[in-house]
Amino acid sequence: MADKKIIAVVGATGAQGGGLVRAIMSDPTGPYTARALTRDVNSAKAKELAALGAQVVAADIDDVESLKRAFAGAYGAYCVTFFWAHFSPEKELAEARIMAQAAKHAGVEHVIWSTLEDTRRWVPLSDNRMPTLMGKYKVPHFDSKWEANAVFTEQGLPVSFLLTSFYWDNLIHFGMGPKKGADGKLGFTLPMGDKKLPGIAAEDIGGCAYGIFKKGREYVGKTVGIAGGHPTGVEMAASLTRALGQEVRYNEVTPEAYRAFGFPGAEDLGNMFQFKRDFEKDFCGARDLALSRALNPSLQSFDQWLARNKSSIPLS
Ligand SMILES: NC(=O)c1ccc[n+]([C@@H]2O[C@H](COP(=O)([O-])OP(=O)(O)OC[C@H]3O[C@@H](n4cnc5c(N)ncnc54)[C@H](OP(=O)(O)O)[C@@H]3O)[C@@H](O)[C@H]2O)c1
C-alpha cells in the first residue's frame, strides 16, 4: 500500500467519485490507492469507502485550505462540482477555481476534470431556438463546466477533460423514469425526437476515469468523451419494456413542453436535451463507445444497467 500513488477523489460518496473509488480499490494489484474526500467522514457512505481500504478525509470544495490538505501528497485528483446542489453556474466556477488552486498547491501530477460542452459554441446567445438562461447561458450546468476548463489550464495543471453523459440512474434518482399516463400505460418522456441520447451508468464514469489515470500521461491535455450507449428514446422505451415486462411507450415531447414542466432546473434540462437533439452528430461523436469500453472494460449497456437496476426504478 505504501508504494501506491494516491488519487484524491472529490465527491467520493457520490455517483462519479464513488465509482472511481470503487474502481481503484477493486484493483488491489493496480498502481493506485484512493483518498476519498467527504464533508462528513462519519457518514455511512464514508464508512463504506473506508471499509474498502480507501483513506477517508474531510474536505469541502468551498474551502481551499481543506482541499489543500486533502490533495497534499496525492499523485492524482478527480475534480467534479455539484450543480444540482445549488443551481449556480457561478458557484461551480468558483469551486473549480478552488480545486485548481489546491491541486496546483499540492503539485498534483494528473487532474481529471469532469466537464461538459459549452453549448454556446453551437447555439450562440443570439440564437432564439432556445431561451438564454441566467443572462448568459444556454445550458447553465454545461456552459459553466466548460468555462471552468480554463481555470485548470491557466494554473498550468496537467489536466484531462472528461466529457460525461446522461446518467441512466436519472431514471431512479432524478424523477426521469417511466410514468403512468391517463390510460394507465407507462410512458418514458424525453424531448429528443428520433435522435440518440448518449448515456452511461453513473458508476461506470469512475471506471472510465480510472482507465484514464492508468494510461499515465496519455490523456493529459486531452478531452475524452465517454458513454455506455447511444440509444434513441424509442430504443430506451423498448429496453424498458423488455426489462420491466410491461409496455413502456416513448412519450416524445417538444423541448418547449419540457422547459414548461416547471420543476427546478426544467428550463436548463429542456435546453440541454434540445442541444443534444439538434447537434446529435457532434454530441455523439464526442463520446466514442469503443474508447469508453477500452478505458473501462466493465462498461454497461443500457440493457445491462436495466437488468441490475430495474427494481429500483420508481414506476408511478
Ligand atoms: N445526472 C446526470 O445525468 C449528469 C450527467 C453528467 C454530469 N452530471 C454532473 O455531475 C455533477 C454531480 O456529480 P455526482 O452525480 O457524482 O454528484 P452526487 O452523486 O450528487 O454526489 C455528490 C457528493 O459530493 C459531495 N459534495 C457535495 N457538496 C460538496 C462540497 N461542497 N464539498 C465536498 N463534497 C461535496 C457529497 O458528499 P459528502 O456529503 O459526503 O460531502 C455528495 O456525496 C453535477 O455537476 C452534474 O451536472 C450529471
Side-chain angles (χ1 to χ4, degrees):
M1 181 71 95
D3 57 343
K4 286 191 183 270
K5 296 177 178 175
I6 296 165
I7 295 179
V9 182
V10 173
T13 57
Q16 295 188 26
L20 176 56
V21 172
R22 286 183 283 278
I24 295 170
M25 300 314 296
S26 64
D27 184 5
T29 60
Y32 304 116
T33 191
R35 181 181 290 164
L37 277 57
T38 172
R39 292 164 303 177
D40 179 5
V41 296
N42 293 313
S43 72
K45 284 184 175 175
K47 285 182 178 159
E48 276 173 32
L49 300 177
L52 298 177
Q55 300 174 15
V56 177
V57 303
D60 188 319
I61 59 168
D62 295 319
D63 173 359
V64 71
E65 294 306 323
S66 76
L67 266 191
K68 283 180 184 170
R69 285 192 296 276
F71 283 174
Y75 157 84
Y78 186 78
C79 294
V80 55
T81 44
F82 310 104
F83 181 84
W84 303 108
H86 47 67
F87 294 82
S88 166
E90 282 75 26
K91 193 167 163 75
E92 275 201 301
L93 197 55
E95 291 178 336
R97 193 165 284 121
I98 286 173
M99 287 189 281
Q101 278 170 6
K104 182 75 182 172
H105 183 266
V108 169
E109 291 178 53
H110 191 178
V111 174
I112 296 182
W113 163 233
S114 176
T115 190
L116 288 164
E117 283 90 343
D118 183 357
T119 62
R120 299 162 298 186
R121 265 186 61 204
W122 287 265
V123 192
L125 294 184
S126 57
D127 187 330
N128 291 325
R129 84 180 69 193
M130 60 179 75
T132 293
L133 302 177
M134 302 182 191
K136 53 179 180 169
Y137 304 103
K138 285 300 186 185
V139 182
H141 79 282
F142 270 53
D143 302 345
S144 56
K145 289 186 179 63
W146 181 87
E147 280 187 19
N149 290 0
V151 159
F152 290 92
T153 47
E154 278 161 14
Q155 293 278 356
L157 284 162
V159 57
S160 302
F161 303 100
L162 182 65
L163 289 174
T164 58
S165 287
F166 177 86
Y167 302 174
W168 291 321
D169 309 66
N170 292 335
L171 276 64
I172 300 173
H173 304 297
F174 223 80
M176 292 190 187
K179 305 237 175 342
K180 280 206 174 111
D183 59 357
K185 295 257 170 73
L186 288 170
F188 174 57
T189 300
L190 277 182
M192 287 296 297
D194 61 356
K195 304 296 190 239
K196 297 172 194 294
L197 173 63
I200 194 163
E203 179 75 10
D204 288 345
I205 296 174
C208 292
Y210 182 47
I212 293 172
F213 278 124
K214 281 197 298 187
K215 291 283 184 185
R217 297 192 62 81
E218 185 172 334
Y219 290 103
V220 169
K222 303 219 168 85
T223 299
V224 188
I226 53 167
H230 295 168
T232 62
V234 166
E235 288 167 346
M236 290 181 80
S239 291
L240 283 160
T241 298
R242 285 193 298 275
L244 299 173
Q246 56 178 310
E247 189 189 2
V248 178
R249 285 186 290 209
Y250 173 42
N251 178 33
E252 182 190 339
V253 296
T254 63
E256 290 76 14
Y258 201 93
R259 281 190 283 272
F261 281 162
F263 62 82
E267 288 187 301
D268 189 326
L269 292 176
N271 283 7
M272 175 193 80
F273 285 123
Q274 186 175 350
F275 165 70
K276 293 178 183 183
R277 183 196 71 176
D278 291 357
F279 302 97
E280 178 199 36
K281 198 162 161 277
D282 289 349
F283 196 77
C284 291
R287 287 158 175 80
D288 185 77
L289 300 180
L291 172 61
S292 306
R293 187 163 303 282
L295 291 169
N296 177 0
S298 58
L299 191 76
Q300 297 160 77
S301 66
F302 185 51
D303 288 318
Q304 288 169 321
W305 178 85
L306 276 174
R308 290 181 191 167
N309 294 280
K310 61 186 174 188
S311 60
S312 303
I313 299 174
L315 302 176
S316 50

